[in-house]
């Protein structure tokens, strides 16, 4: 039978083990929302499996390692806020929250020069990493205090202020990829 002290010690160990797990990344804890592949210095999962990673397979994407983020892991990178309105949007600005894309790239130790941000519907946009590190790019997972839903613009929405990417006109939100699930570092 466990002594009282033994029991307390066991509980402490379990508590620490559990905290440790959520620190390491969270791929194990919650549903993965965004997976980063390509030239990474740090990964937290192995290669794609045509059965389990069916949506990657649908898009004909395969990889031998990747870094998978759930919402908590993205939030742990530091939630930033961006209140935006593009001319084609409804009157009331949208307040988006999520980590800086640069923080995501730091976490995975991105080593490439460009990024391909890909959405569930297949829409994808290429960005130059050096350029976007200078701007204010947020991988939003919340809008107006609510998680971005699948079926809406979630699970993640790449957002930056009007004119925030060189060469993009002030009124175009064409590079604001919504329903992002995959970022490839190339
Ligand atoms: N996932 C996804 N994101 C996307 C698009 C898209 O088709 N799919 N269209 C882009 C374009 S061309 C524009 S103008 C803006 C706004 O598109 P919406 O009017 O369909 O919301 O989202 C951008 N992000
Ligand atoms: Mo568009």
């Amino acid at each position: 039978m466990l002594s009282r002290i033994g029991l307390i010690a066991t509980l402490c160990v379990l508590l620490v083990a559990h905290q440790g797990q959520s620190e390491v990344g969270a791929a194990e804890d919650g549903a993965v929302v965004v997976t980063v592949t390509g030239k990474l210095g740090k990964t937290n999962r192995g290669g794609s499996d045509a059965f389990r990673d069916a949506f990657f397979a649908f898009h004909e994407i395969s990889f031998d390692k990747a870094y998978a983020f759930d919402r908590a892991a993205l939030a742990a990178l530091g939630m930033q806020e961006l209140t935006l309105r593009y001319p084609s949007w409804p009157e009331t600005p949208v307040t988006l929250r999520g980590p800086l894309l640069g923080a995501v790239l730091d976490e995975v130790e991105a080593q490439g020069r460009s990024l391909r941000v890909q959405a569930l519907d297949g829409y994808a946009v290429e960005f130059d990493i050096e350029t976007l590190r200078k701007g204010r790019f947020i991988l939003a997972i919340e809008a107006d205090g609510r998680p971005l839903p699948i079926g809406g613009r979630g699970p993640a929405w790449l957002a930056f202020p009007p004119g925030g990417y060189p060469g993009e006109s002030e009124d175009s939100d064409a590079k604001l990829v919504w329903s992002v699930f995959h970022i490839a570092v190339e």
Side-chain angles (χ1 to χ4, degrees), residues 119 121 123 153 173-174 176-179:
D121 60 349
Y123 186 80
R153 295 192 186 263
D173 60 339
L176 273 68
V177 188
W178 39 265
S179 80

Side-chain angles (χ1 to χ4, degrees), residues 60-183:
E60 295 177 344
I61 298 161
S62 64
F63 47 86
D64 52 19
K65 53 189 167 36
Y67 199 117
F69 291 91
D70 66 5
R71 295 180 53 84
L74 289 173
L77 300 177
M79 294 286 266
Q80 307 286 313
E81 198 169 285
L82 202 53
T83 297
L84 291 183
R85 183 181 173 278
Y86 277 79
S88 59
W89 293 11
E91 200 105 331
T92 317
V94 183
T95 296
L96 295 165
R97 292 181 76 236
L100 286 173
L101 192 51
V104 177
L105 296 178
D106 288 343
E107 180 65 20
V108 302
E109 294 169 10
Q111 289 158 357
R113 294 187 149 273
S114 68
L115 273 191
R116 200 174 127 81
V117 179
Q118 188 178 22
L120 296 173
D121 60 349
Y123 186 80
V125 176
E126 301 262 353
F127 294 94
D128 175 67
I129 290 182
E130 201 179 312
T131 307
L132 66 80
R133 276 188 184 277
K134 292 184 196 140
R136 200 163 158 73
F137 283 70
I138 283 183
L139 190 62
I141 52 173
E142 265 181 30
D144 298 325
R146 312 185 112 236
L148 282 171
I150 292 180
R153 295 192 186 263
W157 189 2
L158 180 68
F160 56 88
Y165 193 79
E168 275 306 279
S169 73
E170 288 275 328
D171 57 3
S172 171
D173 60 339
K175 286 192 157 61
L176 273 68
V177 188
W178 39 265
S179 80
V180 173
F181 79 107
H182 176 217
I183 296 174

Side-chain angles (χ1 to χ4, degrees), residues 22-47:
S22 42
E23 259 166 46
V24 199
E28 312 290 317
D29 300 339
V32 168
V33 287
V34 174
T35 302
V36 187
T37 64
K39 296 182 178 169
L40 316 180
K42 206 169 134 195
T43 56
N44 69 354
R45 63 156 288 173

